[in-house]
Amino acid sequence: MKAMETFVTPTPSRVNYLNATYGLKSWLLTKDHKRIALLYLGSISFFFLIGGLYAMAIRIELLTPQADLLQSTTYNKVFTQHGIIMVFFFLIPSIPATLGNFLVPMMIGAKDLAFPRINLLSWYIYMLGGIVTIYALLAGGIDTGWTFYTPFSTSFSNSYVVAAGLGIFISGFSSILTGLNFIVTIHTMRAPGMTWFRMPLFIWSHYATSLVMILGTPVIAITILLLAFERLAHIGIFDPAAGGDPVLFQHLFWFYSHPAVYIMVLPGMGVVSELIANFSRKNIFGYSFVAFSSLAIAVFGFLVWGHHLFVASQSVYAGMIFSFLSFAVAIPSAIKVFNWTATLYKGSISYDTPMLYALGFIGLFTVGGMTGLFLAALAVDVHVSDTYFIVAHFHYIMVGGTLLAYLGGLHYWWPKISGRMYPEGWGRFSALVVFVGFNLTFLPQFVLGYMGMPRRYHVYPPEFQVLHVLSSAGASILGIGLLIPLLYLIWSMRYGKIAASNPWNLPGLEWQTSSPPPTENFELTPVVTWEAYEFAPAEEIQVVGKFRDTSVEEV
Amino acid sequence: MPVRRKESRNKLAESYTIGHENEEHGHPALQHHFENMEQQREASTLGMWVFLVTEIMFFGGMFLAYTLYRSKYPEAFASASNHLDLKLGAINTVVLILSSFTMAMAVYSTQIGKRRNQIISLVLTLLLGITFLGIKAVEYHQKYVDHLIPGRLIPLRPFDASGVHLLPGAAKQNVEMFYWIYFAMTGMHAVHMIIGIGLISVILFLSWRGRYGPEYHNPVEVSGLYWHFVDIVWIFLFPLLYLLGRHLEH
């Protein structure tokens, strides 16, 4: 048997996916999942910047109780466009389309995703959707709120609802194709020895995310299509004037848009599972529980949409069931939080930038999740419905959760992606700035909401001003905290320290090839003989030294 | 006590094997990122199944709207349904089932390597698909003549339900809603038929060039899956739109 094997150490090759071919065409027509991930990285950063500018406008307007910077109609458009850009063009593709695209094949030892051409197509579809949406913004904007509630959106709004809807409809297909590609890749392309329970938890969470993508996105597609026809041709099933039911729209919309929250946060949970285990240098506590809790979240996520309709003439009994099911989602989420915490216990923790983001994620996600329970409780929800309490809650999940995990993951895999290290000092500094800025922005909003400040208003009673000013101050700190990584990551692409193949010294497959990897990821197909997060005994010995002999004897 | 193995820092170093060289380089249709034809076939088949799941969810939104309003306005829906052309709908159902049969024959002929039968079956499938769309167009035209196109889809020709025999309790407004659901669902189905016809035309062209045979037939199979799916959607649409509630009239 020994004679059959040959041991080849993959040497850091000079030819990698970044310099294999040159020119604009080689990027725009690439079928390499790693290059497509970078195309996505560039484009979602662009959309994040636009969404951020809208957020700035909102926060500046809210500094004073009167309408000074923006008038009502403009303000309506600004918060709508902030929501649409951030949700559909940043948060939903953020982790799956960049980190997921880059890492899913590498982590399971495949050369590429199952359908490379469809992968490229998904980026073009995303860009087309983005361009159509930007056209809607430039032509005159849209003022319905990102939720497009009927009959306002179909009969009364005088803005570019159809164009914005079309943009979202188109970009939805990119998300469907990404999900489809991940599912097929994970099922059929795993390297020899990469069994389901040896897969990194990042892969499990992306599998669960993909399920939500393929089951939910088509529903929003048909809903928006019906909405567009209703608006254009004045026929309809949502318009009460035509015997339709606007609540049907809300049901269909939230059937996608609630699970969409899990499209945003599940990949983040996958990233955090990686970070926590690897920066504690310990196997994750309860691997299979963390893996299955991802699937459980995906399944439960489809059963709770009705908690968005507690005050929308839904039957009281339906409300009670949806309330109960919404509480149930807390179980798999809590399993994750507890298991991450238990993983930290007696780990050898290093506080590198990615780990700071991961720890921040756990704290902020817990706050976001706990306040979610307030909202799942029927009576409390009636009180705080459509207030800043909700705004704060979902920003804790989407920004405190997804964005932090995204940044953590980006730093963690940056050496693999770019072949260069980011500056660690700046990284830690900006992670702290982001954390402080984020909390200063959104913590006051919980209080505001509880005191009765409604969302989507730009004028408010003067007694709310202090909290609004605090929030705006926090937003500017958060903005700076996000600008710093943008600058130093771009800087590091040219001037950063050259990264080793495995700078963190970890067992994951993606670290066993050169940085940046060759186009085909691995020089030879890897054969996996170890579990995920199995750290080399050489290091464990230092921790558990005296147990070493026993374990060797057992072999 | 967990069993620990001795390991080197670079785990892959010990796991690369020579076995890699045994992989099939043979078939020209094997894409570079797959290990062998079997893996490629599995991936494309699973990909199509997953895609069909998304299609079910896509149509699902419309089926939900149909179910809701059918139960809310049974009389109006029955009146409108009675006005549809049952004969043409039934003929179209037979046409589609036949086309599914010819498609299955095309896949089978490819697998056993009978190229003549393969091409004949694909041509027949194509013709039956076009026949379906032709009959559908005749039906749509009838609705146009009867002023039954809902809303302002056709400018200057507003919906007018006066030609429809209304059952007691049926509101014209809801008859219009039925026609909107009818056009949305059958229209979306027709779009899928057109895509399917495009797909089969490509498959036919490549079959004629001799691309597919017993060793490589998954594109034919996968297109077949899509075609059968589109047929099955119709198998649900036909009774829901044409048949349900007919007894209320008589």
Side-chain angles (χ1 to χ4, degrees):
Chain A
M1 192 61 200
K2 259 286 185 255
M4 293 288 289
E5 293 173 358
T6 171
F7 298 132
V8 185
T9 311
T11 44
S13 66
R14 297 181 69 83
V15 177
N16 57 53
Y17 82 102
L18 290 170
N19 65 13
T21 46
Y22 286 102
L24 195 62
K25 207 177 135 194
S26 78
W27 280 86
L28 291 180
L29 296 178
T30 183
K31 281 181 271 169
D32 182 356
H33 66 103
K34 299 182 289 300
R35 286 191 164 198
I36 295 169
L38 290 192
L39 292 177
Y40 263 117
L41 181 66
S43 31
I44 70 163
S45 305
F46 170 71
F47 282 105
F48 182 67
L49 223 64
I50 297 182
L53 289 178
Y54 283 122
M56 262 171 67
I58 293 171
R59 283 322 319 170
I60 294 173
E61 165 54 42
L62 289 174
L63 275 172
T64 59
Q66 311 83 31
D68 17 46
L69 178 66
L70 307 170
Q71 296 304 314
S72 311
T73 44
T74 322
Y75 186 78
N76 288 347
K77 287 179 180 171
V78 167
F79 74 70
T80 301
Q81 288 157 190
H82 167 68
I84 288 176
I85 295 283
M86 284 300 199
V87 168
F88 294 104
F89 295 95
F90 174 69
L91 285 163
I92 286 178
S94 62
I95 298 177
T98 55
L99 298 176
N101 230 331
F102 195 96
L103 290 158
V104 165
M106 295 196 70
M107 282 186 162
I108 61 172
K111 293 191 186 108
D112 205 321
L113 286 171
F115 309 114
R117 264 177 300 188
I118 288 180
N119 196 18
L120 181 63
L121 179 67
S122 88
W123 181 73
Y124 277 102
I125 291 175
Y126 168 80
M127 288 309 282
L128 182 65
I131 288 168
V132 172
T133 306
I134 286 183
Y135 159 76
L137 306 188
L138 294 180
I142 163 171
D143 65 353
T144 58
W146 79 280
T147 46
F148 292 99
Y149 271 13
T150 54
F152 180 69
S153 58
T154 47
S155 312
F156 301 107
S157 169
N158 267 323
S159 58
Y160 286 73
V161 178
V162 173
L166 189 66
I168 292 167
F169 174 80
I170 295 171
S171 75
F173 287 96
S174 100
S175 158
I176 290 176
L177 293 178
T178 303
L180 185 149
N181 228 332
F182 284 173
I183 289 182
V184 174
T185 307
I186 294 169
H187 267 282
T188 61
M189 311 266 296
R190 281 169 289 123
M194 178 56 84
T195 58
W196 282 86
F197 290 96
R198 277 179 181 168
M199 294 194 312
L201 291 164
F202 182 84
I203 303 291
W204 276 100
S205 74
H206 272 74
Y207 187 79
T209 310
S210 306
L211 287 179
V212 181
M213 281 173 161
I214 62 153
L215 292 174
T217 320
V219 178
I220 192 80
I222 188 66
T223 310
I224 288 184
L225 205 60
L226 291 175
L227 177 95
F229 271 107
E230 181 144 350
R231 189 176 160 88
L232 287 175
H234 297 269
I235 38 179
I237 51 175
F238 302 135
D239 187 358
D245 191 347
V247 180
L248 175 67
F249 175 82
Q250 296 186 22
H251 276 292
L252 287 171
F253 178 83
W254 288 112
F255 181 82
Y256 165 74
S257 294
H258 191 78
V261 176
Y262 301 109
I263 296 180
M264 302 172 203
V265 83
L266 270 170
M269 291 168 157
V271 170
V272 170
S273 301
E274 295 294 311
L275 298 182
I276 293 288
N278 288 330
F279 285 92
S280 308
R281 306 205 69 74
K282 233 182 108 196
N283 193 355
I284 190 114
F285 182 84
Y287 171 94
S288 52
F289 273 84
V290 182
F292 281 114
S293 64
S294 291
L295 295 181
I297 289 174
V299 172
F300 279 121
F302 275 108
L303 304 175
V304 299
W305 79 87
H307 65 217
H308 295 273
L309 285 79
F310 282 164
V311 293
S313 81
Q314 180 184 245
S315 98
V316 180
Y317 299 104
M320 281 160 66
I321 292 166
F322 279 120
S323 169
F324 172 76
L325 287 167
S326 306
F327 277 111
V329 186
I331 298 169
S333 312
I335 287 177
K336 282 185 188 288
V337 171
F338 290 137
N339 283 21
W340 292 327
T341 320
T343 307
L344 294 173
Y345 180 66
K346 286 196 175 172
S348 76
I349 301 172
S350 46
Y351 294 100
D352 292 311
T353 311
M355 186 59 161
L356 293 181
Y357 279 113
L359 294 173
F361 175 99
I362 296 182
L364 300 182
F365 174 75
T366 306
V367 175
M370 297 291 266
T371 49
L373 291 180
F374 292 29
L375 295 167
L378 275 167
V380 184
D381 183 73
V382 172
H383 179 65
V384 294
S385 212
D386 281 332
T387 66
Y388 264 78
F389 193 88
I390 301 240
V391 176
H393 156 70
F394 69 69
H395 279 93
Y396 262 80
I397 300 288
M398 291 175 180
V399 185
T402 308
L403 184 66
L404 256 62
Y406 172 66
L407 287 173
L410 200 59
H411 283 86
Y412 172 57
W413 282 294
W414 191 250
K416 189 53 67 182
I417 293 170
S418 70
R420 305 264 179 172
M421 296 303 286
Y422 59 88
E424 185 62 43
W426 281 104
R428 289 183 196 185
F429 173 67
S430 67
L432 288 176
V433 173
V434 166
F435 187 80
V436 171
F438 173 82
N439 280 302
L440 191 55
T441 312
F442 293 106
L443 213 52
Q445 295 187 5
F446 278 125
V447 186
L448 273 173
Y450 195 75
M451 284 160 62
M453 169 80 202
R455 69 192 287 198
R456 295 177 172 174
Y457 278 69
H458 64 311
V459 286
Y460 53 84
E463 54 263 40
F464 289 157
Q465 192 174 9
V466 176
L467 289 166
H468 269 303
V469 169
L470 273 180
S471 180
S472 295
S476 30
I477 296 175
L478 179 61
I480 292 167
L482 295 173
L483 211 58
I484 303 172
L486 179 73
L487 295 177
Y488 69 66
L489 286 180
I490 292 174
W491 172 87
S492 76
M493 284 196 280
R494 201 181 168 93
Y495 303 106
K497 215 174 77 201
I498 301 275
S501 309
N502 194 352
W504 313 111
N505 191 17
L506 297 171
L509 261 188
E510 79 270 27
W511 300 111
Q512 312 305 322
T513 183
S514 51
S515 297
T519 302
E520 300 231 310
N521 294 343
F522 303 94
E523 290 174 7
L524 293 170
T525 305
V527 177
V528 183
T529 53
W530 63 93
E531 308 299 318
Y533 317 110
E534 190 179 303
F535 287 92
E539 291 150 23
E540 285 189 352
I541 290 161
Q542 293 167 4
V543 186
V544 292
K546 61 179 173 177
F547 299 114
R548 181 194 176 203
D549 290 342
T550 359
S551 63
V552 170
E553 273 161 23
E554 276 178 14
V555 176
Chain B
M1 199 67 209
V3 178
R4 297 206 181 96
R5 285 171 297 98
K6 212 181 102 189
E7 280 169 71
S8 71
R9 177 155 291 197
N10 189 319
K11 287 171 178 278
L12 269 195
E14 53 184 275
S15 66
Y16 279 132
T17 63
I18 251 176
H20 190 75
E21 287 165 13
N22 299 335
E23 75 179 37
E24 295 170 46
H25 285 299
H27 204 281
L30 179 65
Q31 289 173 279
H32 80 283
H33 59 292
F34 290 113
E35 292 289 319
N36 50 48
M37 290 302 279
E38 177 59 19
Q39 192 186 33
Q40 180 171 327
R41 199 185 65 79
E42 265 180 28
S44 68
T45 311
L46 180 62
M48 183 48 86
W49 278 110
V50 173
F51 178 71
L52 295 183
V53 170
T54 71
E55 290 279 37
I56 290 175
M57 298 307 288
F58 185 78
F59 278 96
M62 287 184 288
F63 277 103
L64 176 70
Y66 170 88
T67 313
L68 176 68
Y69 294 121
R70 169 125 231 156
S71 62
K72 214 169 171 184
Y73 311 118
E75 300 86 3
F77 269 50
S79 317
S81 173
N82 278 327
H83 199 77
L84 292 180
D85 196 324
L86 182 61
K87 218 174 288 164
L88 289 183
I91 292 172
N92 251 350
T93 310
V94 175
V95 167
L96 271 198
I97 292 175
L98 271 179
S99 82
S100 250
F101 172 72
T102 55
M103 188 68 224
M105 284 312 289
V107 175
Y108 177 65
S109 317
T110 316
Q111 283 167 343
I112 59 169
K114 294 208 165 157
R115 259 193 71 203
R116 220 176 87 87
N117 288 359
Q118 176 198 350
I119 288 172
I120 292 172
S121 311
L122 283 173
V123 170
L124 282 177
T125 312
L126 213 53
L127 289 177
L128 287 166
I130 292 166
T131 310
F132 175 90
L133 284 178
I135 295 176
K136 203 76 228 159
V138 171
E139 276 192 81
Y140 279 3
H141 183 254
Q142 281 178 2
K143 300 295 165 290
Y144 173 77
V145 171
D146 294 350
H147 291 266
L148 289 176
I149 311 277
R152 291 188 220 150
L153 270 183
I154 310 282
L156 305 179
R157 205 178 167 86
F159 182 84
D160 178 11
S162 50
V164 178
H165 175 246
L166 293 177
L167 290 163
K172 284 186 178 175
Q173 199 184 34
N174 302 329
V175 171
E176 185 173 1
M177 182 189 275
F178 174 88
Y179 277 103
W180 167 228
I181 292 176
Y182 166 80
F183 274 104
M185 293 181 100
T186 56
M188 205 44 80
H189 177 259
V191 168
H192 280 77
M193 288 291 296
I194 293 168
I195 294 170
I197 286 172
L199 208 61
I200 291 187
S201 307
V202 174
I203 294 288
L204 176 63
F205 175 71
L206 292 174
S207 299
W208 180 63
R209 300 256 299 256
R211 177 91 181 260
Y212 308 117
E215 327 73 57
Y216 179 56
H217 47 74
N218 50 323
V220 188
E221 266 179 53
V222 162
S223 311
L225 278 177
Y226 177 84
W227 189 260
H228 296 315
F229 168 80
V230 179
D231 286 3
I232 287 171
V233 172
W234 179 259
I235 299 299
F236 280 91
L237 290 183
F238 176 62
L240 290 180
L241 295 172
Y242 289 76
L243 299 180
L244 274 190
R246 225 152 241 282
H247 63 284
L248 293 174
E249 180 82 343
H250 306 290

